[in-house]
Amino acid sequence: MDQTVNTAALAAPASNLSLWGLFTQADIVVQLVMLILLLASVWVWTIIIEKTITMRRVTREANAFEDSFWSGGSLDDLYNSEGADPAHPIAAVFGAAMSEWKRSVRIAGLDVVNTAVKERIDRAMNVTIMREMDRLERWMIFLASVGATAPFVGLFGTVWGIMHSFSAIAAMHNTDLAVVAPGIAEALFATAMGLVAAIPAVLAYNKISNDLSRFASRLEGFGSEFSAILSRQAEERK
Protein backbone atom coordinates (compact mmCIF):
# COMPACT_ATOMS: atom_id res chain seq x y z
CA MET A 1 0.00 0.00 0.00
CA ASP A 2 2.80 2.39 0.90
CA GLN A 3 4.58 1.62 -2.35
CA THR A 4 1.43 2.45 -4.33
CA VAL A 5 0.99 5.75 -2.56
CA ASN A 6 4.63 6.72 -3.14
CA THR A 7 4.42 5.89 -6.84
CA ALA A 8 1.33 8.00 -7.29
CA ALA A 9 2.94 10.88 -5.47
CA LEU A 10 6.05 10.67 -7.64
CA ALA A 11 4.04 10.50 -10.83
CA ALA A 12 1.64 13.34 -10.00
CA PRO A 13 4.02 16.29 -10.48
CA ALA A 14 5.20 14.93 -13.83
CA SER A 15 1.74 14.13 -15.20
CA ASN A 16 1.31 17.48 -16.99
CA LEU A 17 2.19 16.64 -20.59
CA SER A 18 1.22 20.01 -22.09
CA LEU A 19 3.95 21.93 -23.91
CA TRP A 20 4.33 24.35 -21.02
CA GLY A 21 4.31 21.49 -18.54
CA LEU A 22 7.03 19.64 -20.47
CA PHE A 23 9.16 22.78 -20.38
CA THR A 24 8.67 23.68 -16.71
CA GLN A 25 9.25 20.12 -15.50
CA ALA A 26 12.40 19.57 -17.57
CA ASP A 27 15.93 19.68 -16.21
CA ILE A 28 17.62 23.10 -16.24
CA VAL A 29 20.01 22.04 -19.03
CA VAL A 30 17.11 20.81 -21.17
CA GLN A 31 15.24 24.04 -20.46
CA LEU A 32 18.27 26.02 -21.65
CA VAL A 33 18.42 23.95 -24.84
CA MET A 34 14.70 24.54 -25.43
CA LEU A 35 15.09 28.30 -24.95
CA ILE A 36 18.01 28.43 -27.39
CA LEU A 37 16.02 26.50 -29.98
CA LEU A 38 12.95 28.66 -29.44
CA LEU A 39 14.96 31.86 -29.95
CA ALA A 40 16.63 30.34 -33.02
CA SER A 41 13.23 29.41 -34.45
CA VAL A 42 11.87 32.92 -33.91
CA TRP A 43 14.94 34.45 -35.53
CA VAL A 44 14.72 32.02 -38.45
CA TRP A 45 11.14 33.07 -39.17
CA THR A 46 12.12 36.73 -38.83
CA ILE A 47 14.82 36.25 -41.47
CA ILE A 48 12.48 34.28 -43.73
CA ILE A 49 9.86 37.03 -43.65
CA GLU A 50 12.44 39.79 -44.14
CA LYS A 51 14.15 38.01 -47.05
CA THR A 52 10.84 37.20 -48.74
CA ILE A 53 9.74 40.83 -48.56
CA THR A 54 13.15 42.07 -49.72
CA MET A 55 13.36 39.73 -52.71
CA ARG A 56 9.89 40.70 -53.86
CA ARG A 57 10.76 44.37 -53.51
CA VAL A 58 14.08 44.25 -55.39
CA THR A 59 12.53 42.12 -58.15
CA ARG A 60 9.69 44.62 -58.55
CA GLU A 61 12.16 47.53 -58.60
CA ALA A 62 14.39 45.74 -61.11
CA ASN A 63 11.43 45.16 -63.42
CA ALA A 64 10.44 48.82 -63.26
CA PHE A 65 14.03 49.99 -63.82
CA GLU A 66 14.59 47.72 -66.81
CA ASP A 67 11.33 48.94 -68.34
CA SER A 68 12.67 52.50 -68.08
CA PHE A 69 16.14 51.47 -69.29
CA TRP A 70 14.90 49.72 -72.41
CA SER A 71 12.25 52.33 -73.20
CA GLY A 72 14.72 54.23 -75.38
CA GLY A 73 14.99 57.30 -73.15
CA SER A 74 18.13 59.24 -72.33
CA LEU A 75 20.67 57.36 -70.20
CA ASP A 76 21.75 60.66 -68.68
CA ASP A 77 18.20 61.40 -67.55
CA LEU A 78 17.88 57.90 -66.12
CA TYR A 79 21.19 58.35 -64.32
CA ASN A 80 20.08 61.66 -62.83
CA SER A 81 16.77 60.20 -61.66
CA GLU A 82 17.95 56.82 -60.34
CA GLY A 83 21.63 56.10 -60.92
CA ALA A 84 23.12 59.08 -59.09
CA ASP A 85 21.45 58.08 -55.82
CA PRO A 86 20.47 54.42 -56.31
CA ALA A 87 17.81 52.94 -54.04
CA HIS A 88 18.01 49.35 -55.26
CA PRO A 89 20.69 46.96 -56.58
CA ILE A 90 20.20 47.18 -60.34
CA ALA A 91 20.14 50.98 -60.19
CA ALA A 92 23.38 50.82 -58.19
CA VAL A 93 25.04 48.74 -60.92
CA PHE A 94 23.83 51.18 -63.57
CA GLY A 95 24.99 54.15 -61.50
CA ALA A 96 28.46 52.68 -60.94
CA ALA A 97 28.96 52.12 -64.67
CA MET A 98 27.63 55.55 -65.63
CA SER A 99 29.78 57.28 -63.02
CA GLU A 100 32.93 55.61 -64.38
CA TRP A 101 31.85 56.38 -67.95
CA LYS A 102 31.24 60.06 -67.18
CA ARG A 103 34.61 60.38 -65.44
CA SER A 104 36.33 58.80 -68.44
CA VAL A 105 34.71 60.97 -71.12
CA ARG A 106 35.58 64.13 -69.16
CA ILE A 107 39.30 63.35 -69.38
CA ALA A 108 40.67 65.38 -72.30
CA GLY A 109 42.33 63.31 -74.98
CA LEU A 110 41.34 59.94 -73.46
CA ASP A 111 40.35 57.32 -75.99
CA VAL A 112 37.17 55.91 -74.45
CA VAL A 113 37.31 52.96 -76.85
CA ASN A 114 40.51 51.64 -75.28
CA THR A 115 40.46 48.47 -73.23
CA ALA A 116 41.41 50.16 -69.96
CA VAL A 117 38.21 52.24 -69.87
CA LYS A 118 36.05 49.18 -70.53
CA GLU A 119 37.90 47.24 -67.83
CA ARG A 120 37.32 50.03 -65.30
CA ILE A 121 33.61 50.13 -66.12
CA ASP A 122 33.32 46.34 -65.86
CA ARG A 123 35.27 46.35 -62.60
CA ALA A 124 33.03 49.06 -61.15
CA MET A 125 29.92 47.05 -62.01
CA ASN A 126 31.37 43.79 -60.67
CA VAL A 127 32.35 45.40 -57.37
CA THR A 128 28.88 46.91 -57.07
CA ILE A 129 27.21 43.57 -57.82
CA MET A 130 29.27 41.85 -55.13
CA ARG A 131 28.49 44.59 -52.62
CA GLU A 132 24.76 44.50 -53.34
CA MET A 133 24.64 40.71 -53.20
CA ASP A 134 26.50 40.74 -49.89
CA ARG A 135 23.75 42.94 -48.50
CA LEU A 136 21.01 40.68 -49.84
CA GLU A 137 22.76 37.56 -48.52
CA ARG A 138 23.07 38.90 -44.99
CA TRP A 139 21.93 36.38 -42.34
CA MET A 140 21.84 33.52 -44.85
CA ILE A 141 24.71 31.87 -42.98
CA PHE A 142 22.50 31.89 -39.88
CA LEU A 143 19.78 29.94 -41.71
CA ALA A 144 22.37 27.42 -42.89
CA SER A 145 23.84 27.10 -39.39
CA VAL A 146 20.46 26.57 -37.73
CA GLY A 147 19.43 24.05 -40.35
CA ALA A 148 22.63 22.07 -39.82
CA THR A 149 22.98 22.26 -36.03
CA ALA A 150 19.49 22.60 -34.52
CA PRO A 151 18.66 18.85 -34.73
CA PHE A 152 21.90 18.02 -32.93
CA VAL A 153 21.29 20.67 -30.27
CA GLY A 154 17.85 19.19 -29.73
CA LEU A 155 19.36 15.69 -29.63
CA PHE A 156 21.81 16.85 -26.98
CA GLY A 157 18.88 18.07 -24.89
CA THR A 158 17.14 14.73 -25.41
CA VAL A 159 20.18 12.69 -24.38
CA TRP A 160 20.73 14.87 -21.33
CA GLY A 161 17.06 14.66 -20.36
CA ILE A 162 16.97 10.86 -20.71
CA MET A 163 20.14 10.53 -18.63
CA HIS A 164 18.55 12.72 -15.98
CA SER A 165 15.33 10.68 -16.11
CA PHE A 166 17.17 7.38 -15.77
CA SER A 167 19.11 8.75 -12.82
CA ALA A 168 15.85 9.71 -11.13
CA ILE A 169 14.33 6.32 -11.94
CA ALA A 170 17.34 4.55 -10.45
CA ALA A 171 17.11 6.67 -7.30
CA MET A 172 13.40 5.84 -6.90
CA HIS A 173 13.86 2.13 -7.77
CA ASN A 174 10.65 2.36 -9.76
CA THR A 175 10.22 1.65 -13.49
CA ASP A 176 6.46 2.16 -13.59
CA LEU A 177 5.39 3.77 -16.92
CA ALA A 178 3.67 6.58 -15.05
CA VAL A 179 7.05 7.52 -13.59
CA VAL A 180 9.16 6.95 -16.72
CA ALA A 181 6.92 8.48 -19.42
CA PRO A 182 6.88 12.17 -18.33
CA GLY A 183 10.67 12.39 -18.13
CA ILE A 184 11.12 10.73 -21.52
CA ALA A 185 8.47 13.04 -23.03
CA GLU A 186 10.31 16.10 -21.69
CA ALA A 187 13.56 14.87 -23.23
CA LEU A 188 12.00 14.09 -26.62
CA PHE A 189 10.37 17.52 -26.66
CA ALA A 190 13.87 19.01 -27.11
CA THR A 191 14.40 16.97 -30.28
CA ALA A 192 11.02 18.08 -31.59
CA MET A 193 11.97 21.72 -31.01
CA GLY A 194 15.25 21.16 -32.83
CA LEU A 195 13.37 19.86 -35.86
CA VAL A 196 10.87 22.73 -35.67
CA ALA A 197 13.79 25.17 -35.90
CA ALA A 198 15.81 23.23 -38.49
CA ILE A 199 13.21 22.24 -41.09
CA PRO A 200 12.02 25.80 -41.96
CA ALA A 201 15.63 27.00 -41.91
CA VAL A 202 16.74 24.38 -44.45
CA LEU A 203 13.75 24.86 -46.74
CA ALA A 204 14.04 28.66 -46.60
CA TYR A 205 17.80 28.58 -47.16
CA ASN A 206 17.40 26.48 -50.31
CA LYS A 207 14.58 28.63 -51.68
CA ILE A 208 16.14 32.01 -50.88
CA SER A 209 19.59 30.89 -52.09
CA ASN A 210 18.04 29.93 -55.42
CA ASP A 211 16.27 33.31 -55.65
CA LEU A 212 19.51 35.12 -54.81
CA SER A 213 21.44 33.17 -57.44
CA ARG A 214 18.89 34.06 -60.10
CA PHE A 215 18.96 37.73 -59.07
CA ALA A 216 22.78 37.77 -59.15
CA SER A 217 22.67 36.31 -62.67
CA ARG A 218 20.17 39.00 -63.61
CA LEU A 219 22.51 41.75 -62.34
CA GLU A 220 25.46 40.21 -64.18
CA GLY A 221 23.41 39.93 -67.36
CA PHE A 222 22.35 43.56 -67.12
CA GLY A 223 25.96 44.57 -66.50
CA SER A 224 27.14 42.72 -69.61
CA GLU A 225 24.41 44.27 -71.77
CA PHE A 226 25.08 47.76 -70.45
CA SER A 227 28.82 47.34 -70.97
CA ALA A 228 28.13 46.46 -74.62
CA ILE A 229 25.91 49.55 -74.98
CA LEU A 230 28.65 51.81 -73.59
CA SER A 231 31.20 50.21 -75.91
CA ARG A 232 28.99 51.00 -78.91
CA GLN A 233 28.53 54.57 -77.72
CA ALA A 234 32.30 54.91 -77.32
CA GLU A 235 32.85 53.72 -80.89
CA GLU A 236 30.23 56.18 -82.15
CA ARG A 237 32.04 59.03 -80.34
CA LYS A 238 35.33 58.13 -81.96
Side-chain angles (χ1 to χ4, degrees):
M1 182 65 179
D2 291 339
Q3 182 63 35
T4 302
V5 173
N6 290 339
T7 299
L10 289 170
S15 60
N16 184 2
L17 297 182
S18 66
L19 297 182
W20 178 248
L22 292 176
F23 173 78
T24 56
Q25 296 162 13
D27 180 71
I28 183 63
V29 174
V30 181
Q31 287 182 341
L32 182 60
V33 168
M34 290 180 181
L35 285 175
I36 292 173
L37 292 173
L38 178 62
L39 292 175
S41 182
V42 171
W43 195 241
V44 162
W45 279 106
T46 301
I47 294 172
I48 292 173
I49 294 171
E50 188 272 333
K51 291 299 180 188
T52 301
I53 294 173
T54 299
M55 290 308 300
R56 289 179 179 175
R57 176 179 57 81
V58 296
T59 300
R60 184 174 61 251
E61 290 170 341
N63 291 338
F65 179 85
E66 288 188 330
D67 288 342
S68 299
F69 181 83
W70 295 112
S71 64
S74 169
L75 291 180
D76 289 329
D77 291 342
L78 185 59
Y79 174 75
N80 293 331
S81 62
E82 295 200 49
D85 186 20
H88 51 90
I90 198 166
V93 174
F94 170 77
M98 283 295 291
S99 296
E100 186 61 40
W101 167 261
K102 287 178 174 293
R103 283 193 293 268
S104 298
V105 298
R106 283 199 298 263
I107 299 176
L110 178 64
D111 181 10
V112 292
V113 184
N114 68 52
T115 304
V117 173
K118 185 178 185 304
E119 287 180 351
R120 286 200 299 270
I121 293 174
D122 290 342
R123 189 180 304 114
M125 286 192 291
N126 290 335
V127 169
T128 303
I129 290 173
M130 288 189 293
R131 183 175 64 247
E132 293 299 323
M133 291 308 301
D134 283 342
R135 291 177 182 174
L136 292 176
E137 291 170 356
R138 186 184 181 193
W139 295 112
M140 289 297 292
I141 189 65
F142 182 81
L143 289 182
S145 299
V146 171
T149 62
F152 297 102
V153 175
L155 183 60
F156 167 76
T158 296
V159 172
W160 185 276
I162 290 176
M163 290 172 55
H164 184 264
S165 298
F166 282 171
S167 298
I169 291 168
M172 291 185 293
H173 303 289
N174 189 339
T175 58
D176 188 356
L177 185 61
V179 176
V180 176
I184 301 299
E186 295 160 11
L188 293 176
F189 185 42
T191 295
M193 292 191 64
L195 294 176
V196 167
I199 292 174
V202 171
L203 294 176
Y205 178 82
N206 292 335
K207 173 64 169 61
I208 297 172
S209 293
N210 186 51
D211 292 342
L212 288 171
S213 296
R214 288 205 306 266
F215 192 75
S217 298
R218 182 175 184 176
L219 292 181
E220 291 169 358
F222 172 79
S224 298
E225 292 175 339
F226 188 42
S227 178
I229 291 173
L230 292 180
S231 295
R232 286 194 297 269
Q233 287 195 1
E235 292 175 357
E236 292 172 358
R237 290 171 59 93
K238 190 173 181 181

